[in-house]
Amino acid sequence: MKNRLHYLIYRFFITLFLTLIFARPSYAQSLLLGNENLTVEVGLNFGPTFFLGDLGGHRGYGTTFIKDLNLPLTKLMKGAFVSVQPNEWLGFRVAAQYTFLAGKDEIINTNGRPESFRKDRNLDFRSDVWEAYTAVEFFPLMYLKRYDEDYQPKLRPYIFGGAGLFHFNPQGSLTDQNGNKTWHYLQPLHTEGEGFAEYPDRPNYKLTQVNIPMGGGFKYLLSDNVNLGIELLYRKTFTDYIDDVSTTYIDPNLFNKYLSPADANIAIQIYNKTPTTITSRTDPGLQRGNSKNNDAYFSLLLKLSIKINGNFNNDYNRKSAEHTRCPARF
C-alpha cells in the first residue's frame, strides 16, 4: 500500500507539473473556461517540518505547540503544488509532498522535575510521511478591495484550509550491547495492545489517514509570472499514533500470546525502554502517553511558483490598461 501510494502521488504530480510548464499558450488559454481573470500557477515548496506529539519536549510538564518542539529533530519537507485562481481573492490548490517526522525522549533537558518521567521513558520514533491535499485559499485584503482597480499590491496575505491524506509508518530503535542501533516498524508490534482482545477500545491504527491542512502566509509578486511566498502549514490529524505512543503500558506476556516469537521478542524490548533500575513506572495500566491530544505536525515553507497563463488576456494588455487608467488622485 505504501509503495503504491507513493507511486501514484509522484506520477500524477510530476506529469501534471511538466505538462503545465511546457504547455503551449493555446492550451493554457483553454484553461480560462471563459473567465479572463483566471490564473493557473505551478510551483515548488520546501522548508522545515516540526512534530507535535507525545515523545520529546522540554523541561517541566508536557505542553503543546511551540513549547513542545525539539529543533535538533527538524527535517526538510519537499513538495509541489498547482493553484487556480478564478479571481484575485480566491484560489484552489492541489499539492503533494514528502517529509520526515521524529521524536526522542532522550534529548529532553532535565533538572529532576516533572519532565523526568518522559526522560526515563526513553522512547523514540521516526517516520517518512507522504501526503496529498486540496485547499481553498482566501486573500482578505484583495477581497475588501475587489472593486478598486487601482489596488494591485505585490505583497498579498492569505489564509487557507482543506482536506488531505497522509501516510506514515513509525519505527522505533533498539541498541545492542555493542552500541549498534537497529530500527523496527512499530505498528505490527502492537506496543500498546492495539487490536488485542484484552483492549477492545484500542483498534489497530491505520497507516494512511485523513488530515486537515490549514494555515496562512504571504505571497509576493516578483514579476508578472513569478511569485515567491512564505507559508505556515499546520496539519490537524485524527490519530495519536504517529509516534506509536498514546495510552498505557500493557502486560508484556500478551506479546507472546498474539505475536510470532521473533516479533514478540522485539516488542518486549521496544515497548518499554526505561532503565532497568526503574520498574514501578511501567507496570501494566500506568501512563505511557497522553491520549487527550492527537498528534500533529506543521511546516514553515518557502514557495516559488510560476504563472502559466495570462491574466487580462496577456500581460501586455494589463500593463497598457494600468498606464491608461485615469489616476485616482493628482
Side-chain angles (χ1 to χ4, degrees):
M1 175 64 184
K2 176 182 176 181
N3 292 334
R4 179 67 174 172
L5 181 64
H6 300 175
Y7 174 76
L8 290 176
I9 289 176
Y10 265 98
R11 181 175 180 180
F12 173 76
F13 279 95
I14 289 175
T15 301
L16 182 60
F17 187 75
L18 293 176
T19 299
L20 292 175
I21 287 179
F22 295 107
R24 294 180 303 172
S26 60
Y27 175 74
Q29 291 297 328
S30 70
L31 294 173
L32 295 178
L33 301 177
N35 182 356
E36 66 178 7
N37 293 317
L38 184 145
T39 60
V40 180
E41 298 175 6
V42 294
L44 301 173
N45 52 233
F46 57 91
T49 296
F50 309 92
F51 174 68
L52 302 169
D54 289 279
L55 299 189
H58 293 284
R59 294 179 180 178
Y61 291 102
T63 184
T64 57
F65 203 52
I66 300 297
K67 293 182 179 180
D68 196 46
L69 296 182
N70 293 124
L71 294 180
L73 301 178
T74 302
K75 299 295 182 180
L76 188 67
M77 194 204 83
K78 302 170 282 289
F81 63 92
V82 178
S83 181
V84 178
Q85 284 191 244
N87 54 53
E88 292 187 317
W89 55 267
L90 182 67
F92 302 93
R93 180 196 306 178
V94 180
Q97 46 218 18
Y98 162 80
T99 191
F100 183 89
L101 302 178
K104 185 184 299 184
D105 288 333
E106 183 183 54
I107 67 175
I108 299 173
N109 293 325
T110 181
N111 55 10
R113 292 183 178 178
E115 73 279 357
S116 61
F117 166 79
R118 289 178 287 122
K119 181 83 171 184
D120 293 339
R121 183 176 55 184
N122 195 33
L123 295 176
D124 63 2
F125 95 103
R126 69 180 188 183
S127 178
D128 295 311
V129 177
W130 303 80
E131 61 182 3
Y133 71 88
T134 62
V136 178
E137 304 168 335
F138 177 65
F139 296 77
L141 297 184
M142 300 306 296
Y143 177 77
L144 294 174
K145 297 285 189 176
R146 63 190 183 279
Y147 300 121
D148 184 355
E149 295 181 356
D150 292 315
Y151 187 73
Q152 292 294 327
K154 289 185 176 295
L155 185 64
R156 304 183 179 188
Y158 64 91
I159 56 176
F160 67 93
L165 290 174
F166 74 107
H167 179 86
F168 66 104
N169 198 359
Q171 293 179 308
S173 73
L174 289 176
T175 303
D176 64 21
Q177 296 178 347
N178 298 320
N180 299 315
K181 180 177 290 188
T182 56
W183 290 88
H184 307 269
Y185 287 107
L186 296 170
Q187 191 234 27
L189 301 179
H190 308 267
T191 57
E192 293 187 355
E194 309 97 316
F196 292 176
E198 288 79 2
Y199 298 95
D201 59 333
R202 302 182 191 179
N204 201 19
Y205 59 89
K206 296 181 180 179
L207 298 178
T208 299
Q209 299 203 26
V210 172
N211 65 7
I212 298 179
M214 64 184 78
F218 296 89
K219 179 179 179 180
Y220 185 79
L221 281 58
L222 291 175
S223 69
D224 291 324
N225 297 313
V226 180
N227 301 314
L228 186 67
I230 296 178
E231 178 177 287
L232 177 67
L233 171 57
Y234 177 88
R235 290 80 149 190
K236 173 181 173 58
T237 78
F238 300 91
T239 179
D240 194 31
Y241 280 104
I242 293 179
D243 54 11
D244 195 66
V245 176
S246 179
T247 55
T248 61
Y249 288 96
I250 68 170
D251 183 351
N253 292 317
L254 294 176
F255 295 127
N256 292 313
K257 177 180 178 180
Y258 289 102
L259 305 181
S260 67
D263 285 346
N265 179 54
I266 295 173
I268 290 171
Q269 298 179 68
I270 212 167
Y271 97 108
N272 176 11
K273 298 199 297 181
T274 58
T276 55
T277 56
I278 300 175
T279 57
S280 60
R281 293 187 183 182
T282 62
D283 291 341
L286 294 184
Q287 182 179 7
R288 188 171 185 260
N290 181 2
S291 61
K292 294 181 180 180
N293 298 311
N294 287 332
D295 295 334
Y297 57 104
F298 69 96
S299 305
L300 185 62
L301 301 176
L302 181 66
K303 300 164 64 72
L304 180 66
S305 64
I306 60 173
K307 185 169 64 176
I308 63 169
N309 70 317
N311 191 3
F312 243 84
N313 294 327
N314 57 55
D315 294 326
Y316 176 80
N317 288 343
R318 182 179 60 79
K319 289 181 178 180
S320 298
E322 291 176 350
H323 291 159
T324 58
R325 182 182 303 135
C326 292
R329 62 178 65 87
F330 293 94

